[in-house]
Amino acid sequence: MRLATLLAFLRPALPLILGLSLGCSLSLLRVSWIQSDGEDTCMDTGVNNGLFAGKMQQDSVAGGRSSQNDEDFKPRIVPYYRDPNKPYKKVLRTRYIQTELGFHERLFVAVLTSKATMNTLAVAVNKTVAHHFPHLLYFTGLRSAKVPHGMALVSHGDERPVWLMYETMRYIHQHFGGDYDWFYVMQDDTYAQAEQIKALVTHLSINQDVYLGRAEEFIGGDEQARYCHGGFGYLVSRSLLLKLHRHLDSCRNEILSVRPDEWLGRCIIDFLGISCVSQHQGQHYHSYELAKNADLEKEEGEDFQAALTVHPVSEGTLMYRLHKHFSRIQLDRAYQEIQQLQMQIRNLTSLTPAREVGLTWPIGINAPFVPKSRFEVISWDYFTEQHLFSCPDGSPKCELAGASKADVSDIIEAALQQLNSRYQPQLRFYKQQLLNGYRRFDPTRGMEYMLDLLLEAVTQKGHSHVLAKRVSLVRPLSKVEIIPMPYVTEATRVQLVLPLTVQELDFVSNFLDMFAMNTLDTHDNALLTLLFIYQPYDAQRVSQQDVFAGVKAMVGELEKRYAEVKIPWISVKTEVPSQVKLMDIVSKKHPVDTLFFLASVWTEVNMEFLNRCRMNTISNWQVFFPMHFQEFNPVLMYHGEQAASSSTDFMRDGHFDRHAFAEACFYNSDYMAARTKLAADILDRDEVLESMEVFDVFLRYSGLHLFRAVEPGLVQKYMLRSCNPRLSEELYHRCVLSNLEGLSSRSHLAMALFEQEQANST
């Protein structure tokens, strides 16, 4: 009975036991076979050395070494050792990683100009191609020359052509020799296709000595030697320039020449043995010599169309005409490439699983954004030729002006051009009226338009007919460019300024605790200045009863706890606490290079935001106005229950307050400059300051960038703020809107109204 019970218990495990037994038996048999074969040296050394058994056998045969070579295949850590006899040098890291890795910029352009052409041809070069080149400098031999607007000029003080070339090459090597891979030298009577020059250098190797341009023979010289004609421009590689600079002084003293390009070519040939070439690594340097009084409309040859440079250009108007001509050629080529790519996409679409259904319009542009919920639907803005019905200030209707008016005019003109190009010569369309216009910005593709146009269609025979037609257009997002910004660091000291009124005394304790924990305990480079705002009645009784005595006691406790910290305060008496007037007082008591952070008593200061304040505020360039995250009223959100602690629900518990401008980061010098312009505008009308905030001062009276962005590092608890009715109507309205939108989300407000109606009905 017991045996049957035991067998019934072990029966499910019998296959496992049999498998283990069979595996162990086979393993023992294999071991016995290996041990019996004692003549195989590979097996003797391979048991412990696996992959290197074959190599170990060869080593043992060659030198009788088998186990000693194990160390050759084991990693060995080399400890750092510093010679105590050598002085220690601190390693200085570069400002940019590009510098540390040894990267160079691609192209530097030098333009040679003179007294006679500086204000004509040089200005024409600057207006046509300067914005296409990353770095362009003008060189002249004039002394104390007056520089035209928008041009960077280097004056050498000697107008001799050869001397100007010598000084220019020496200057380029001294100041830019280690920063660029290619150097392009041209004259101001040369028209250059900037984009084609930039494309040319991207296909050339930077490790070779290259002297590329229009090769010309020396007069009465060696038939094999060539120099690059200066009128058509030439490229010099960085490696060639580094070798050439050692011989420039010798060339100046030994080579006599009237033409500077011949002098430079002879210098390169005599000392480096390198001649000018018009072709290198399969890339051709095409140039075109323009005849006197040439008609550009008749210049249709392949040499002219393919030219990188055109010379000589006798006047500025000819330079502009050349630029217009070649720009049209490049534009036509771009349109042809777009059509070819669209045809290829259309042909390949038939081979995809979606076939023609997956083809988007316009072909080659990203498909429209597909919303996942009704809250993600991108709304259309309605407009006419005179008015816009979606205004930036929230009003329902405003006049179409400025950039919006130019945008509407441009898109209507583009629609007519597309219609005429499609239906000509059978029909020609003329606009009579814009019936309806709609536009929206799709972040995945660009600006979309729908136009209802009232058109007059005219046939070839002169018959006309009025019809309405809807046109859809897309202005796609073009090439994204990185805007250069000045360099800033996170080591700048931040001066916090906290204005305090009597109504805000209950929240000072929490502000000071957060300031001490996040800045003083962490030794962050930040200071605090308190601004006590007294009402006239409280200011008269300050000797008997100071309303800010409790705050001053808290400050004293902090100064005792942190001996190296001093927290000053400034007392102000006013009935209307204007933000601009308060900053006027604080600004005069701090240096001009002070970085201010204008805070509110509900702000919870932390290191993360202070670093962003330092990085986003740039002296004489940009000011930062963050939008703090305002938590909703917990009574309406949770009905007395505990708030959710999950980070995924964090953004649902509040919103970014776009009506609040209390927090701001700016430099004192920028504020003083804008404030000076404001004072000149308002003269002695100080009552105007009561209707303005610091944001308005920078917006209206400074040319700085105003960076307004959401700031998740600034989180404020819900609090119903008191709005001062003595402020301007706009500021008071903004405060009221901030309180109303900070109550709760729309869904929770609707639920609260529903519950109230349910309670009233019962």
Side-chain angles (χ1 to χ4, degrees), residues 32-45:
S32 62
W33 291 340
I34 294 175
Q35 290 178 351
S36 63
D37 190 3
E39 298 179 358
D40 192 353
T41 56
C42 290
M43 289 301 178
D44 292 341
T45 58

Side-chain angles (χ1 to χ4, degrees), residues 533-591:
I533 303 173
Y534 287 89
Q535 293 290 334
Y537 176 75
D538 296 329
Q540 294 176 359
R541 301 174 60 250
V542 68
S543 57
Q544 292 83 15
Q545 182 180 359
D546 189 355
V547 292
F548 292 103
V551 181
K552 296 177 181 178
M554 297 179 193
V555 171
E557 291 295 330
L558 284 179
E559 292 179 346
K560 289 181 180 179
R561 191 191 313 171
Y562 305 95
E564 71 281 0
V565 175
K566 297 296 181 182
I567 302 178
W569 65 71
I570 303 173
S571 299
V572 180
K573 182 182 72 172
T574 179
E575 293 184 359
V576 183
S578 170
Q579 196 180 48
V580 178
K581 290 184 177 180
L582 297 178
M583 273 309 306
D584 289 345
I585 299 173
V586 177
S587 175
K588 296 176 182 178
K589 297 182 179 296
H590 291 85

Side-chain angles (χ1 to χ4, degrees), residues 372-411:
K372 297 181 180 179
S373 66
R374 62 188 179 92
F375 299 104
E376 297 180 356
V377 175
I378 304 175
S379 60
W380 291 86
D381 297 334
Y382 179 76
F383 62 89
T384 62
E385 291 186 83
Q386 293 81 24
H387 296 92
L388 183 65
F389 292 84
S390 179
C391 305
D393 58 355
S395 58
K397 181 181 178 181
C398 56
E399 184 179 357
L400 191 67
S404 295
K405 187 176 183 61
D407 176 55
V408 171
S409 301
D410 182 53
I411 208 66

Side-chain angles (χ1 to χ4, degrees), residues 307-368:
L308 298 178
T309 58
V310 178
H311 174 79
V313 181
S314 57
E315 56 184 2
T317 56
L318 181 58
M319 185 81 70
Y320 299 131
R321 290 168 56 198
L322 282 168
H323 184 65
K324 179 181 179 180
H325 180 80
F326 282 104
S327 298
R328 187 187 297 115
I329 293 175
Q330 295 299 325
L331 192 60
D332 293 339
R333 290 176 183 173
Y335 283 139
Q336 291 178 2
E337 292 179 4
I338 290 174
Q339 292 178 359
Q340 293 175 0
L341 291 174
Q342 288 179 340
M343 187 178 298
Q344 294 176 8
I345 293 173
R346 187 183 291 108
N347 295 334
L348 291 174
T349 304
S350 60
L351 305 178
T352 61
R355 296 187 177 274
E356 298 294 337
V357 180
L359 196 63
T360 61
W361 179 90
I363 300 175
I365 304 297
N366 294 334

